[in-house]
Amino acid sequence: MATDDQEWRLSLMRRLGERDRREVTPFKEIILQNNRLLDNVTQLKADNLKISVENEQLRAAFATGGKGNGKDSNAAQIAIAAVEKKLLAQQEELTDLHKRKGENSQMIVDLNLKVEKQQLIIKEKESCLAEQKTANNILKAEVQMLKSSLEELKKLNNTLLDEHTALQLAFSALEDKLRGVQEENRCLLERLMRYKSKDADKLNEENESFLRKRSDKLKRDLEDAVREPNSTLPRLTRNSSSHSQHGLGDSDSYDNDNDRYSSDTGGVDHCLEAGCGTELDMFSSPNSRLRDVLCHSTTTKAENPSTIFMKFDAHENESHAVRWSPIERVLATGGADRKVKLWDVGKASPEPRAVLSGSSAGINSVDFDSTGSYIIGTSNDYGARVWTVGDNRLRVSGKSEK
């Protein structure tokens, strides 16, 4: 701080010296001329006094020696005339010098006024300089505070960078863990799909075996009935009563398996509604189980589909649910993109009919009501939502506790 003050003082002294030289140099010649004029005035005054003395001496000599020689008198008069002429010239020069002295004095007064004005300006500049110095000190203090704040911010930035690095490492570890869990989940899903495929194949084999056995048994019963028309009804009645007490052999397992079979083929009741009952009018037995058995014998064996009728991409990610509309050829699908979509499949290619949104998680099941006017969808966020098919608006939304 002391060094800064010393430099400031030296700079101020240097600037003041430059200002003095800049303001004195234009008037230096005037001051020198004024000094020379003063010297000339003094010299002329001395010469004037000397000439006056000589003039007086000549006058006195002339007065005393006027009666003498005429030649000397003429010479004295010529000398007096020359001296008077010289005195007149000196007086004119002195008058001119006085005039120039007055002009120089006026210039000096003007310069003094300018000097006073410059001094006032210097005082104002000094006061402004003092204010600037105070402001400079304040700014220096602020700069010091900002430097300290900058240091603190640098330290904080380094801390944040370290935390960011740690979080990145933790995030990388979590990503690795997530990839491992996803891989494990994929393996588990593959195993689950294999198990489900095996269960489906086993169930299909059981259904086919049961259908073959049942068909063979029904054929034998019908052949026996054809051979013995008179004893058919009593035997069937006896069989039905025995079945009602002990079961139709495999009929108990058939009842259990029939529920599964009815979900795929429409069941035996569908056969009755299709017209099989017209062939059973001859039977008056109230045993519905026997009627179902005989009706089933007239139906053709259901076959698994072997070709793809239609294929299309329903969702951006996985498709988790699908359901037919009960009243029209409209298909509802739900997927991992949190949307329920309605598709019109009545034409050669499926056309999107509506996109029902509002779920905050992937859809896992969809279903229509019996009239086809409402559709419900459940999602992985423990929520269920109901939309109207007519205007595709969300009507009900709710969540259950986890």
Side-chain angles (χ1 to χ4, degrees), residues 164-333:
H164 179 67
T165 304
L167 289 174
Q168 282 185 338
L169 294 174
F171 181 71
S172 300
L174 289 175
E175 281 186 339
D176 295 337
K177 187 176 180 181
L178 177 62
R179 283 193 289 270
V181 171
Q182 288 177 346
E183 184 66 23
E184 185 178 358
N185 186 25
R186 187 183 62 79
C187 295
L188 291 174
L189 286 174
E190 290 178 355
R191 291 177 59 187
L192 179 62
M193 294 303 295
R194 288 197 298 270
Y195 290 149
K196 285 187 177 182
S197 178
K198 290 180 180 179
D199 291 340
D201 294 339
K202 186 176 180 181
L203 183 60
N204 291 331
E205 291 176 359
E206 291 177 355
N207 287 336
E208 291 177 359
S209 177
F210 174 74
L211 290 174
R212 285 194 300 271
K213 291 179 182 179
R214 195 64 181 164
S215 178
D216 294 340
K217 184 176 180 181
L218 290 174
K219 287 180 180 179
R220 289 194 300 270
D221 292 341
L222 290 175
E223 289 175 357
D224 293 339
V226 170
R227 292 193 190 97
E228 301 175 1
N230 294 329
S231 62
T232 299
L233 184 60
R235 186 165 59 83
L236 290 175
T237 305
R238 184 171 59 255
N239 288 336
S240 64
S241 63
S242 64
H243 288 323
S244 64
Q245 295 175 0
H246 304 289
L248 285 170
D250 296 335
S251 63
D252 291 335
S253 62
Y254 175 77
D255 290 336
N256 293 331
D257 293 336
N258 189 35
D259 294 334
R260 297 193 302 266
Y261 181 75
S262 63
S263 64
D264 298 328
T265 64
V268 177
D269 293 338
H270 179 71
C271 177
L272 289 173
E273 292 176 0
C276 294
T278 58
E279 300 177 2
L280 299 175
D281 291 338
M282 71 179 106
F283 298 103
S284 60
S285 172
N287 194 328
S288 63
R289 185 186 299 274
L290 179 60
R291 184 176 289 110
D292 291 343
V293 170
L294 293 175
C295 177
H296 185 70
S297 66
T298 62
T299 60
T300 60
K301 181 179 178 181
E303 296 181 356
N304 291 328
S306 59
T307 59
I308 297 175
F309 175 70
M310 185 180 295
K311 182 179 179 181
F312 60 93
D313 295 331
H315 296 273
E316 297 177 358
N317 299 321
E318 296 89 353
S319 298
H320 295 163
V322 61
R323 185 67 63 181
W324 283 101
S325 173
I327 61 172
E328 53 184 344
R329 294 183 65 81
V330 174
L331 191 68
T333 62

Side-chain angles (χ1 to χ4, degrees), residues 17-243:
E18 291 176 356
R19 188 204 64 187
D20 291 340
R21 286 192 298 272
R22 186 171 58 253
E23 293 180 355
V24 170
T25 300
F27 307 104
K28 186 174 182 181
E29 182 136 354
I30 295 173
I31 294 171
L32 292 175
Q33 288 180 2
N34 188 27
N35 292 331
R36 283 197 297 269
L37 288 174
L38 291 175
D39 294 337
N40 291 332
V41 167
T42 305
Q43 183 67 31
L44 289 172
K45 283 182 178 181
D47 293 341
N48 192 12
L49 181 60
K50 185 177 179 182
I51 290 170
S52 298
V53 171
E54 289 179 355
N55 190 15
E56 290 296 327
Q57 290 176 356
L58 289 172
R59 284 180 182 276
F62 180 74
T64 55
K67 296 179 180 181
N69 185 338
K71 235 182 236 191
D72 294 331
S73 174
N74 290 331
Q77 286 179 358
I78 292 170
I80 291 170
V83 169
E84 287 179 353
K85 186 177 181 180
K86 188 176 180 181
L87 179 60
L88 185 59
Q90 290 291 331
Q91 285 179 351
E92 290 178 357
E93 187 177 357
L94 181 61
T95 303
D96 188 24
L97 289 174
H98 280 294
K99 183 179 180 181
R100 292 176 66 183
K101 180 181 178 182
E103 292 175 355
N104 290 331
S105 299
Q106 185 63 35
M107 291 177 65
I108 290 171
V109 171
D110 295 336
L111 291 174
N112 288 329
L113 292 175
K114 288 183 180 180
V115 169
E116 290 178 357
K117 290 181 180 179
Q118 292 296 327
Q119 287 178 352
L120 293 175
I121 293 172
I122 289 170
K123 289 181 180 179
E124 292 177 358
K125 295 290 184 181
E126 287 178 352
S127 62
C128 183
L129 184 62
E131 292 176 358
Q132 293 293 330
K133 185 178 179 181
T134 305
N136 191 16
N137 293 331
I138 295 172
L139 291 174
K140 285 182 179 179
E142 291 180 357
V143 168
Q144 198 66 27
M145 292 176 61
L146 290 174
K147 285 182 179 179
S148 60
S149 300
L150 183 61
E151 293 295 330
E152 292 178 358
L153 289 174
K154 285 182 179 179
K155 293 179 180 178
L156 182 60
N157 188 24
N158 293 329
T159 304
L160 291 175
L161 288 174
D162 295 338
E163 291 180 357
H164 179 67
T165 304
L167 289 174
Q168 282 185 338
L169 294 174
F171 181 71
S172 300
L174 289 175
E175 281 186 339
D176 295 337
K177 187 176 180 181
L178 177 62
R179 283 193 289 270
V181 171
Q182 288 177 346
E183 184 66 23
E184 185 178 358
N185 186 25
R186 187 183 62 79
C187 295
L188 291 174
L189 286 174
E190 290 178 355
R191 291 177 59 187
L192 179 62
M193 294 303 295
R194 288 197 298 270
Y195 290 149
K196 285 187 177 182
S197 178
K198 290 180 180 179
D199 291 340
D201 294 339
K202 186 176 180 181
L203 183 60
N204 291 331
E205 291 176 359
E206 291 177 355
N207 287 336
E208 291 177 359
S209 177
F210 174 74
L211 290 174
R212 285 194 300 271
K213 291 179 182 179
R214 195 64 181 164
S215 178
D216 294 340
K217 184 176 180 181
L218 290 174
K219 287 180 180 179
R220 289 194 300 270
D221 292 341
L222 290 175
E223 289 175 357
D224 293 339
V226 170
R227 292 193 190 97
E228 301 175 1
N230 294 329
S231 62
T232 299
L233 184 60
R235 186 165 59 83
L236 290 175
T237 305
R238 184 171 59 255
N239 288 336
S240 64
S241 63
S242 64
H243 288 323

Side-chain angles (χ1 to χ4, degrees), residues 342-359:
L342 300 178
W343 303 87
D344 189 357
V345 294
K347 300 179 181 180
S349 61
E351 295 181 357
R353 182 171 176 177
V355 178
L356 309 179
S357 59
S359 176

